[in-house]
Amino acid sequence: MTSSSSSSALPSLTVGSRSGSFALESRSILLEQGGVRRRIPLEAVEEVRLDGVRRPAVEVVLTAPAGSSGTVYRVDCRNAASATAFVDATARALPARDVGTPREDGAARVAVLPRAADRNRRSPRDRLVIAAVLAPVALYVGGLLVLIMDGDVLGVIFWLLGLKPLAFGLLLYGMAVKNLYDRWLLRRRGISVLATSDHTQGKKEIYRYVDAEGVRRFFEPDHAAAPVSLAPRQVAAVYDPRRVERVKAVLPLRTWVLRTIGVGFGGTSLLALGFFLVPYQLIELLSR
């Protein structure tokens, strides 16, 4: 979902996960991993490649003298499209070298950067996310303790069993709301494109398109997207010019109808069961 490169300048791409990240800078790659920030000059890079079976990963291999192996930095990625775009863009930016040209030890050119004093501080958004996660956990544990202290064995059993349907129901509705929000934004300010099947990553089929700025981008469309053509295989899509990772394939009306029915029936049923098994037990106990 991240772009690869433009014809005039090195693109500002980043790829990774919570375990670490790579970011393209001016003639270098910035690596953040294990609490350490490193700047790797492109001249010290021998190869950038994709790896990983279950989950995509990007590996940056440094140059090394003949007879020795180059240092390898590896970062797991959140999605295959982002990893592919990063590898493609970096490969085009690497300096051309002949096979027989002597190599230096690229690790010697890697610079360890100081960390800013406030980088370890949590942002207000991070604190809000942590609070949003901890609050329901505290309420759940607190309710369970109240039932245990009251000796309500049946209530405890229901409380434990009800967590699964409640969590799945909330997750289903949360995903539906997030998807509707993204598509509402795309309807307001999105740009329509035709995306063409480019390659597969495991079981995922990755599509490419060129945005209004002439930049090639990649994403994985919804499997329910109806193809516009079969040779080559294309789908209609809409992307957000303000946030390029937000891109969605256009879905047929019947898909919207079926998914609305599915979320309405399945999500509501799970939530109803979950609310009966979890909070209702506590409400009944406190109202005695």
Side-chain angles (χ1 to χ4, degrees):
M1 297 181 187
T2 309
S3 65
S4 64
S5 70
S6 69
S7 58
S8 58
L10 192 65
S12 302
L13 296 186
T14 183
V15 69
S17 61
R18 291 183 179 179
S19 62
S21 67
F22 288 124
L24 275 178
E25 292 186 327
S26 177
R27 303 306 303 167
S28 64
I29 299 173
L30 180 65
L31 168 63
E32 295 200 29
Q33 193 171 54
V36 179
R37 303 175 71 226
R38 295 180 175 89
R39 177 171 286 118
I40 308 170
L42 293 182
E43 290 75 12
V45 177
E46 179 71 30
E47 177 188 9
V48 179
R49 63 197 182 197
L50 279 176
D51 191 33
V53 178
R54 292 186 177 181
R55 189 175 186 181
V58 171
E59 292 184 342
V60 173
V61 184
L62 304 188
T63 57
S68 60
S69 300
T71 302
V72 179
Y73 294 110
R74 176 189 173 95
V75 164
D76 291 331
C77 306
R78 291 187 177 90
N79 63 72
S82 202
T84 301
F86 184 89
V87 170
D88 288 347
T90 309
R92 288 194 295 271
L94 291 179
R97 299 189 185 93
D98 295 330
V99 177
T101 302
R103 305 291 201 268
E104 63 176 3
D105 184 6
R109 303 190 62 179
V110 177
V112 177
L113 305 177
R115 295 182 63 87
D118 60 347
R119 286 185 64 86
N120 291 324
R121 298 178 186 174
R122 290 192 176 97
S123 66
R125 181 179 179 181
D126 291 337
R127 291 194 291 269
L128 182 62
V129 171
I130 292 174
V133 172
L134 292 181
V137 172
L139 289 174
Y140 181 81
V141 174
L144 180 61
L145 291 176
V146 170
L147 292 171
I148 292 175
M149 292 173 62
D150 187 68
D152 189 348
V153 178
L154 186 60
V156 170
I157 294 174
F158 281 169
W159 192 269
L160 294 173
L161 292 178
L163 179 61
K164 191 171 183 178
L166 183 62
F168 274 105
L170 292 173
L171 179 63
L172 187 60
Y173 266 104
M175 293 173 60
V177 170
K178 173 63 167 57
N179 185 57
L180 287 175
Y181 174 72
D182 285 346
R183 291 188 179 274
W184 174 74
L185 285 180
L186 290 173
R187 187 177 181 85
R188 290 186 59 197
R189 66 188 188 208
I191 298 177
S192 300
V193 293
L194 280 180
T196 304
S197 177
D198 186 83
H199 65 279
T200 58
Q201 183 74 33
K203 295 182 179 180
K204 298 179 180 179
E205 186 173 11
I206 307 301
Y207 282 64
R208 72 176 185 278
Y209 67 94
V210 178
D211 68 9
E213 304 298 325
V215 180
R216 187 176 63 165
R217 305 188 185 277
F218 299 86
F219 80 111
E220 180 191 2
D222 192 302
H223 68 276
V228 175
S229 68
L230 297 177
R233 185 173 174 82
Q234 292 181 314
V235 296
V238 183
Y239 77 91
D240 186 350
R242 302 184 191 176
R243 188 176 173 184
V244 294
E245 67 272 16
R246 181 182 286 124
V247 53
K248 299 285 186 182
V250 177
L251 300 180
L253 177 61
R254 65 177 181 276
T255 299
W256 282 107
V257 173
L258 292 175
R259 289 186 177 180
T260 301
I261 294 174
V263 171
F265 178 77
T268 303
S269 299
L270 287 171
L271 284 179
L273 178 60
F275 277 117
F276 171 75
L277 293 176
V278 180
Y280 177 75
Q281 306 303 318
L282 185 61
I283 294 172
E284 185 180 36
L285 173 64
L286 298 176
S287 62
R288 292 174 186 173

